[in-house]
Amino acid sequence: MDRDECEDKRAAMLAAYDADVFLSGINALSRDGVLVNIDGNANRVSAIAQGPRRVIFIAGMNKVCSDVDEAMKRARNVAAPINAQRFDLNTPCAKTGTCFDCKSPDTICCQFLITRFSRHPERIHVILVNDNLGF
């Protein structure tokens, strides 16, 4: 489902919870496999945390960071500003490319999900591509 292709975006976002497979990008991950994602509406991070039977991330090596702290910095200072610019949001990071830890009405840094383990075997898969993919 592509929420941008649906008239009722909320219905499209909710339908993702019942999907067999949820395909997603990732904001950052640590070398030891901890996943870091930031979301504005929580539809992506909530589906990652609970819902679809399988979650598959496709990530370029540019998303791999030394540890969780570096992954969080990457998510906030690389992925979030570019996403804010892509959605034409009125945030300090969209204007400067740097996180200001803002509480702007347009902020996309509303929910942070750190996934360090899945209690459901085989639910979460990360496919690493030996290339720079996304931001």
Side-chain angles (χ1 to χ4, degrees):
M1 294 205 93
D2 182 347
R3 71 175 183 240
D4 295 329
E5 300 291 321
C6 296
E7 262 185 58
D8 186 346
K9 290 186 188 321
R10 179 169 168 69
M13 288 189 263
L14 291 173
Y17 294 111
D18 197 35
D20 290 328
V21 177
F22 186 79
L23 182 63
S24 181
I26 191 169
N27 295 131
L29 67 149
S30 66
R31 281 193 192 136
D32 62 350
V34 177
L35 314 176
V36 175
N37 285 286
I38 298 176
D39 210 341
N41 292 314
N43 59 301
R44 187 172 65 102
V45 297
S46 61
I48 292 165
Q50 172 66 32
R53 289 168 183 81
R54 295 265 190 271
V55 177
I56 299 173
F57 294 101
I58 299 175
M61 294 304 291
N62 55 312
K63 308 286 183 84
V64 179
C65 301
S66 59
D67 57 31
V68 174
D69 289 337
E70 289 301 312
M72 184 64 81
K73 286 177 188 171
R74 184 195 189 287
R76 294 187 86 173
N77 289 292
V78 176
I82 293 171
N83 269 321
Q85 292 166 353
R86 182 170 66 105
F87 293 124
D88 196 29
L89 300 176
N90 185 22
T91 62
C93 73
K95 292 178 178 79
T96 66
T98 302
C99 179
F100 282 82
D101 197 25
C102 76
K103 300 280 191 311
S104 164
D106 275 354
T107 187
I108 59 170
C109 296
C110 298
Q111 290 83 26
F112 295 74
L113 178 65
I114 296 176
T115 307
R116 55 177 285 277
F117 184 77
S118 176
R119 292 179 57 193
H120 308 282
E122 300 297 315
R123 180 173 179 267
I124 296 177
H125 300 267
V126 177
I127 298 170
L128 287 174
V129 178
N130 191 22
D131 202 350
N132 288 339
L133 300 178
F135 39 84

